[in-house]
Amino acid sequence: QLQASGGGLVQAGGSLILSCTTSTRTFSRVAVGWFRQAPGEEREFVAAVAWRSGSALYSDSVKGRFIISRDDAKNTVYLQMNGLKPEDAAVYFCAVGNRPNVDGRSYYSSFYGYWGQGTQVTVSS
Protein backbone atom coordinates (compact mmCIF):
# COMPACT_ATOMS: atom_id res chain seq x y z
CA GLN A 1 0.00 0.00 0.00
CA LEU A 2 1.23 3.47 -0.91
CA GLN A 3 0.09 6.30 1.33
CA ALA A 4 0.42 10.05 0.87
CA SER A 5 0.01 12.26 3.93
CA GLY A 6 0.75 15.72 5.23
CA GLY A 7 -1.86 17.69 3.34
CA GLY A 8 -3.98 20.36 4.94
CA LEU A 9 -5.05 23.96 4.86
CA VAL A 10 -2.36 26.62 4.60
CA GLN A 11 -2.31 30.31 3.80
CA ALA A 12 -0.77 31.54 0.60
CA GLY A 13 2.96 31.86 1.04
CA GLY A 14 3.03 29.09 3.60
CA SER A 15 4.69 25.67 3.54
CA LEU A 16 3.74 22.04 3.85
CA ILE A 17 5.67 18.79 3.77
CA LEU A 18 4.01 15.82 2.14
CA SER A 19 5.16 12.28 2.80
CA CYS A 20 4.74 9.16 0.73
CA THR A 21 5.25 5.90 2.56
CA THR A 22 4.77 2.23 1.86
CA SER A 23 4.38 -0.67 4.22
CA THR A 24 3.99 -3.42 1.65
CA ARG A 25 6.33 -2.34 -1.10
CA THR A 26 9.80 -0.90 -1.32
CA PHE A 27 11.17 2.17 -3.04
CA SER A 28 14.42 0.39 -3.72
CA ARG A 29 15.54 0.57 -7.35
CA VAL A 30 12.65 2.73 -8.49
CA ALA A 31 12.02 6.40 -9.03
CA VAL A 32 9.09 7.96 -7.18
CA GLY A 33 6.96 10.83 -8.36
CA TRP A 34 4.33 13.27 -7.16
CA PHE A 35 1.33 14.33 -9.19
CA ARG A 36 -1.61 16.54 -8.37
CA GLN A 37 -5.16 16.92 -9.54
CA ALA A 38 -7.41 19.89 -8.98
CA PRO A 39 -11.19 19.66 -9.38
CA GLY A 40 -12.15 19.57 -13.04
CA GLU A 41 -8.53 19.36 -14.11
CA GLU A 42 -6.36 16.56 -15.40
CA ARG A 43 -3.75 15.00 -13.20
CA GLU A 44 -0.45 16.80 -13.68
CA PHE A 45 3.15 16.00 -12.92
CA VAL A 46 4.76 17.82 -10.00
CA ALA A 47 8.12 16.22 -9.27
CA ALA A 48 10.05 12.96 -9.41
CA VAL A 49 13.18 11.67 -7.73
CA ALA A 50 15.52 8.95 -8.91
CA TRP A 51 16.72 6.03 -6.84
CA ARG A 52 20.27 6.20 -5.47
CA SER A 53 21.38 9.37 -7.28
CA GLY A 54 18.50 11.43 -5.95
CA SER A 55 18.30 13.31 -9.22
CA ALA A 56 15.08 15.26 -9.42
CA LEU A 57 12.73 16.65 -12.02
CA TYR A 58 10.17 19.38 -11.44
CA SER A 59 7.33 20.91 -13.37
CA ASP A 60 7.89 24.52 -14.34
CA SER A 61 5.04 25.59 -12.09
CA VAL A 62 6.75 24.38 -8.91
CA LYS A 63 10.43 24.66 -9.78
CA GLY A 64 12.24 26.76 -7.22
CA ARG A 65 9.48 26.38 -4.65
CA PHE A 66 9.11 22.61 -4.12
CA ILE A 67 11.79 20.12 -3.17
CA ILE A 68 11.45 16.36 -3.55
CA SER A 69 13.66 14.04 -1.53
CA ARG A 70 13.75 10.46 -0.39
CA ASP A 71 14.89 8.41 2.58
CA ASP A 72 15.09 4.83 1.39
CA ALA A 73 15.95 3.55 4.85
CA LYS A 74 12.50 4.74 5.90
CA ASN A 75 10.80 3.87 2.61
CA THR A 76 9.60 7.46 2.46
CA VAL A 77 9.59 10.17 -0.19
CA TYR A 78 8.96 13.79 0.77
CA LEU A 79 7.67 16.81 -1.04
CA GLN A 80 8.64 20.07 0.66
CA MET A 81 6.27 22.75 -0.65
CA ASN A 82 7.23 26.37 -0.02
CA GLY A 83 5.69 29.59 -1.18
CA LEU A 84 2.34 27.93 -1.73
CA LYS A 85 -0.10 29.63 -4.05
CA PRO A 86 -3.87 29.16 -4.40
CA GLU A 87 -3.23 27.44 -7.73
CA ASP A 88 -1.26 24.73 -5.90
CA ALA A 89 -4.45 23.53 -4.24
CA ALA A 90 -5.20 19.98 -5.34
CA VAL A 91 -5.16 16.37 -4.28
CA TYR A 92 -1.55 15.22 -4.34
CA PHE A 93 -0.66 11.65 -5.25
CA CYS A 94 2.59 9.76 -5.09
CA ALA A 95 3.46 6.99 -7.51
CA VAL A 96 6.17 4.40 -7.99
CA GLY A 97 8.07 4.50 -11.25
CA ASN A 98 8.89 1.58 -13.51
CA ARG A 99 12.63 2.22 -13.48
CA PRO A 100 15.26 3.71 -11.17
CA ASN A 101 16.20 6.84 -13.08
CA VAL A 102 14.23 9.90 -14.08
CA ASP A 103 14.14 11.36 -17.55
CA GLY A 104 11.66 12.86 -19.96
CA ARG A 105 9.36 9.89 -19.54
CA SER A 106 8.97 10.66 -15.85
CA TYR A 107 6.64 13.54 -16.63
CA TYR A 108 3.94 11.14 -17.78
CA SER A 109 1.60 8.89 -15.84
CA SER A 110 2.61 5.90 -17.98
CA PHE A 111 6.04 5.94 -16.30
CA TYR A 112 4.44 4.93 -13.04
CA GLY A 113 3.08 1.51 -12.27
CA TYR A 114 1.63 1.94 -8.82
CA TRP A 115 -0.33 4.81 -7.34
CA GLY A 116 -1.34 5.60 -3.82
CA GLN A 117 -4.21 7.42 -2.21
CA GLY A 118 -3.98 11.17 -2.38
CA THR A 119 -3.77 13.88 0.23
CA GLN A 120 -5.66 17.15 -0.04
CA VAL A 121 -3.80 20.46 -0.09
CA THR A 122 -5.86 23.63 0.27
CA VAL A 123 -4.32 27.08 -0.04
CA SER A 124 -6.24 30.12 1.12
CA SER A 125 -5.56 33.50 -0.44
Side-chain angles (χ1 to χ4, degrees), residues 2-125:
L2 205 59
Q3 182 65 50
S5 62
L9 172 64
V10 64
Q11 287 189 329
S15 298
L16 281 175
I17 300 176
L18 304 184
S19 298
C20 176
T21 60
T22 177
S23 58
T24 58
R25 302 179 67 87
T26 177
F27 290 151
S28 178
R29 297 180 177 82
V30 290
V32 179
W34 285 95
F35 283 69
R36 66 187 182 188
Q37 187 168 21
E41 302 289 334
E42 292 190 356
R43 188 172 297 187
E44 66 168 344
F45 171 82
V46 176
V49 62
W51 174 67
R52 184 174 283 183
S53 72
S55 296
L57 295 176
Y58 297 93
S59 67
D60 288 342
S61 61
V62 307
K63 195 175 296 182
R65 298 188 297 122
F66 291 12
I67 301 171
I68 188 171
S69 62
R70 60 192 294 160
D71 184 340
D72 289 330
K74 297 182 178 179
N75 258 349
T76 303
V77 174
Y78 303 97
L79 185 67
Q80 169 80 46
M81 305 189 296
N82 303 314
L84 282 161
K85 305 175 181 179
E87 52 264 42
D88 293 319
V91 177
Y92 283 70
F93 300 88
C94 57
V96 174
N98 293 325
R99 57 194 70 226
N101 298 318
V102 295
D103 56 32
R105 293 168 289 187
S106 308
Y107 292 97
Y108 302 97
S109 298
S110 57
F111 180 84
Y112 303 88
Y114 192 78
W115 296 77
Q117 301 289 332
T119 185
Q120 177 73 52
V121 172
T122 305
V123 184
S124 62
S125 56

